[in-house]
Amino acid sequence: YLEKWGLNGCLADDMGLGKTIQVLSLLLKEREERLSAGPTLLICPTSVVRNWQRESQRFAPTLSIIVHHGQQRLKGDAFKEHALGSDMVITSFSIARRDSKEFKNVRWKRIVIDEAQNIKNPKSQQTKAIKSLPSETRIALTGTPVENRLAELWSIMDFLNPGYLGSLNSFRANFELPIQKYNENKPLEKLQKLVKPFVLRRVKTDP
């Protein structure tokens, strides 16, 4: 629904509620309805790259999946051609930073960030590299949209819908400081209203 209007969302379901399956279902639906207009780039921690590959083979065997990782990964025109012929390219955060030039040469349908708390630091080279990659749409997956500070939520939202929550400095002045330091309710309520349309959060204890 969000993508239809050119907007981007965060799937913040609790761990174990099937965020991986939901992304694969979206890709399968697009393929069945012939809506896909380019590949999806999936960026995740190195520790779950193979898990994404296994889940894809198990639940969506008809999808064309490429794992871009390790010393033998393709570069240049070979990578671009291979990527454009796939439904999804799976890579890690570290490779996304190192190979950002390769990724910028591909017109991505969407970029999906798994465990999006890995881009919580807006000043890190990794976050900057990932945010600079062009795509039609974006999805963030995380069971913990805020771990320690509200600025982490700003960074994820800045990846999804740049400028929506203003600059980092204005966000800190208008939301982070009054909410975290002074426990003010009005800024908290306002932030919740602003973020709610773009974040789907379900937990295991939900009925």
Side-chain angles (χ1 to χ4, degrees):
Y1 174 79
L2 287 173
E3 287 185 351
K4 188 169 73 173
W5 298 103
L7 300 168
N8 302 299
C10 174
L11 182 57
D13 286 352
D14 212 353
M15 194 174 80
L17 291 184
K19 293 187 288 293
T20 302
I21 304 295
Q22 291 177 69
V23 171
L24 293 173
S25 297
L26 175 63
L27 298 183
L28 284 170
K29 185 175 188 292
E30 285 181 339
R31 173 172 257 227
E32 287 170 6
E33 297 179 2
R34 298 185 179 178
L35 296 173
S36 182
T40 289
L41 175 62
L42 185 284
I43 305 172
C44 62
T46 302
S47 59
V48 296
V49 165
R50 296 302 170 189
N51 182 64
W52 268 95
Q53 185 182 27
R54 284 194 302 270
E55 297 286 274
S56 301
Q57 291 169 345
R58 180 183 176 191
F59 295 105
T62 57
L63 293 178
S64 173
I65 305 293
I66 296 171
V67 174
H68 183 74
H69 206 261
Q71 296 295 323
Q72 305 301 316
R73 63 186 187 275
L74 297 175
K75 297 286 182 74
D77 291 339
F79 168 71
K80 183 177 180 179
E81 184 180 345
H82 209 192
L84 289 173
S86 71
D87 293 305
M88 183 166 69
V89 175
I90 302 170
T91 194
S92 66
F93 284 102
S94 58
I95 298 298
R97 177 175 56 81
R98 280 184 229 158
D99 290 5
S100 61
K101 287 183 180 178
E102 308 286 349
F103 294 125
K104 285 179 181 177
N105 287 330
V106 178
R107 179 180 171 82
W108 301 103
K109 159 79 174 175
R110 76 170 57 79
I111 295 175
V112 180
I113 302 293
D114 187 21
E115 297 195 23
Q117 62 271 24
N118 282 277
I119 59 166
K120 66 184 180 182
N121 181 0
K123 295 181 180 178
S124 75
Q125 292 302 311
Q126 177 174 281
T127 300
K128 289 177 180 178
I130 289 170
K131 287 183 178 180
S132 72
L133 299 179
S135 65
E136 289 180 32
T137 58
R138 295 176 169 188
I139 299 174
L141 308 177
T142 176
T144 52
V146 178
E147 286 187 315
N148 300 305
R149 299 172 55 218
L150 277 178
E152 297 165 6
L153 176 64
W154 178 89
S155 190
I156 292 173
M157 288 300 295
D158 185 58
F159 163 75
L160 294 171
N161 302 298
Y164 178 66
L165 293 179
S167 68
L168 180 56
N169 286 338
S170 68
F171 179 82
R172 281 178 168 153
N174 296 324
F175 296 107
E176 188 173 43
L177 196 63
I179 293 170
Q180 290 194 199
K181 190 170 184 180
Y182 302 113
N183 295 316
E184 294 181 16
N185 283 325
K186 281 191 176 180
L188 177 60
E189 290 170 2
K190 183 179 180 182
L191 180 60
Q192 288 172 334
K193 284 180 180 178
L194 285 169
V195 170
K196 189 176 180 181
F198 304 100
V199 179
L200 180 59
R201 172 74 171 161
R202 293 169 290 192
V203 297
K204 292 174 183 173
T205 53
D206 287 343

